[in-house]
Amino acid sequence: MALDALRDWTEWLTHERRSSPRTVEAYRHDILLALTFFQQHLGAEVTLADLGKLSLADLRAWLAHETARSEQPTRRTTSADSRARSRARHVSALRSFFRYLGLRHDLSNPAPSLLATPRTKKRLPRPLGEDAARAAAEGISDDAETSLAAFRDRALFMLLYGTGMRIGEALALNIRDLTNAGQNMLRVVGKGGKERLVPLLPAVIKVLESWKAAHPSPTPDAPLFCGVRGGRLNPGVAQRAMRTWRKGEGLPDSATPHALRHSFATHLMEGGADLRTIQELMGHASLSTTQAYTLADEKHLLDVWRKAHPRAAQES
């Protein structure tokens, strides 16, 4: 049945493709909605044979249904760009699911590949200012309810800003990873299971060592950042801690743990680092992703223009 294939596909995305938990859950949700729609459409539980027979018109009917559902008055108001992003994700999920069916179930259906992906506006990074980024770790730890949480949060948020790691990458670290860090370099497993080395600043090493000394169970296989029960820290706990701090500081909702990653890249660029180096440190597969930090910083673009263009000095 199609639901069994959906379960196997999400396992494949998680363990073989090493997709992020957020991507896996979003894709699973999208395909589950699609299968529910097709079940009502066909009047019976959807089989793999049914999926192989779906036409381009069938897939477009589901996409139209989801678009109409998002525009219902009872739902939260969404912008045209937001709806386009949702549709683009729906299309991406369908293509991924059917590619998997082709690989594992020898199912061939060209319809998903013929779907048009809507154009969306490129989202620019929204970093914190340098002062706010530097103050985040101490400020968040000051708001912690226990001294142990304070040690942990200071180390976590200093690591995020000091290395540009994704929150998921940081929370996936074990004590062993810190012990094995050689020459002040930390090995990180990023998207798609790709490994990279990130340098650790002396201040980051110091706070990590302080947290390790306070860690309730610093065995090699224990999660570096743990919750109150000793298990791996839930990302929601870290996000909530930063949310509490940003409210107290009057910062916008964009001040999230991921914004510290944007801040890392932006402040490196402002300090003169080249895009290739930033790309390597961030673990970006494509340089175009890294270039978004240049597009987001008009001041940097003007500085480069003034230094590089032959007539810049005359024009100013």
Side-chain angles (χ1 to χ4, degrees):
M1 287 297 179
L3 286 176
D4 296 328
L6 170 61
R7 184 196 61 238
D8 295 341
W9 172 60
T10 54
E11 289 291 318
W12 179 75
L13 286 175
T14 301
H15 301 295
E16 294 194 34
R17 293 299 303 273
R18 303 257 186 159
S19 300
S20 72
R22 180 177 292 183
T23 297
V24 173
E25 178 54 30
Y27 276 19
R28 188 198 69 82
H29 178 70
D30 287 346
I31 298 303
L32 187 58
L33 288 175
L35 294 180
T36 301
F37 174 82
F38 293 132
Q39 180 173 331
Q40 296 172 347
H41 189 59
L42 299 172
E45 188 171 353
V46 181
T47 66
L48 291 180
D50 293 328
L51 292 177
K53 297 175 183 177
L54 290 177
S55 67
L56 184 59
D58 293 327
L59 299 182
R60 284 173 173 167
W62 172 63
L63 293 173
H65 170 77
E66 289 302 318
T67 299
R69 202 165 66 91
S70 70
E71 294 175 344
Q72 291 176 1
T74 55
R75 297 177 65 86
R76 185 179 63 181
T77 303
T78 57
S79 65
D81 185 62
S82 177
R83 291 192 293 273
R85 289 183 183 280
S86 293
R87 183 184 175 95
R89 195 191 70 200
H90 295 334
V91 171
S92 179
L94 281 171
R95 289 175 176 169
S96 176
F97 184 50
F98 275 84
R99 277 197 300 269
Y100 169 80
L101 295 178
L103 287 171
R104 296 300 171 89
H105 297 278
D106 198 28
L107 185 150
S108 178
N109 187 335
S113 63
L114 300 176
L115 288 169
T117 302
R119 299 182 65 178
T120 59
K121 295 179 181 178
K122 189 174 183 63
R123 286 182 174 174
L124 297 179
R126 290 186 288 178
L128 280 70
E130 187 173 332
D131 290 342
R134 290 169 64 94
E138 291 294 335
I140 294 169
S141 66
D142 287 343
D143 291 335
E145 296 181 357
T146 67
S147 59
L148 197 65
F151 272 109
R152 180 198 66 200
D153 291 352
R154 184 182 296 112
L156 172 61
F157 286 97
M158 189 170 286
L159 179 67
L160 293 179
Y161 178 49
T163 64
M165 293 171 63
R166 300 176 179 91
I167 182 69
E169 294 170 346
L171 297 184
L173 294 171
N174 291 332
I175 293 290
R176 177 182 283 109
D177 298 313
L178 185 58
T179 304
N180 293 341
Q183 300 297 316
N184 300 336
M185 301 290 283
L186 188 64
R187 189 174 298 277
V188 177
V189 179
K191 287 185 175 181
K194 295 180 181 178
E195 292 189 355
R196 71 181 188 279
L197 291 174
V198 297
L200 296 176
L201 297 167
V204 175
I205 295 174
K206 183 178 179 180
V207 76
L208 285 173
E209 289 296 338
S210 295
W211 162 236
K212 183 182 173 184
H215 196 288
S217 179
T219 58
D221 292 327
L224 178 58
F225 298 106
C226 58
V228 292
R229 297 181 180 178
R232 200 170 300 278
L233 186 67
N234 189 298
V237 175
Q239 291 160 356
R240 184 166 60 250
M242 190 160 184
R243 186 161 57 245
T244 299
W245 171 74
R246 79 173 180 232
K247 287 181 178 178
E249 296 295 315
L251 295 172
D253 291 346
S254 58
T256 63
H258 199 70
L260 291 173
R261 176 172 163 83
H262 294 323
S263 304
F264 168 83
T266 300
H267 299 160
L268 276 180
M269 187 188 66
E270 291 174 348
D274 64 272
L275 286 177
R276 284 291 182 187
T277 300
I278 297 174
Q279 178 191 8
E280 186 71 22
L281 291 172
M282 298 283 281
H284 287 156
S286 170
L287 186 62
S288 63
T289 305
T290 315
Q291 288 172 334
Y293 293 101
T294 301
L295 297 174
D297 189 355
E298 295 180 1
K299 178 179 179 297
H300 177 77
L301 287 175
L302 287 172
D303 287 343
V304 171
W305 175 76
R306 291 191 183 99
K307 293 175 183 177
H309 197 283
R311 296 195 61 180
Q314 297 176 9
E315 296 295 335
S316 58

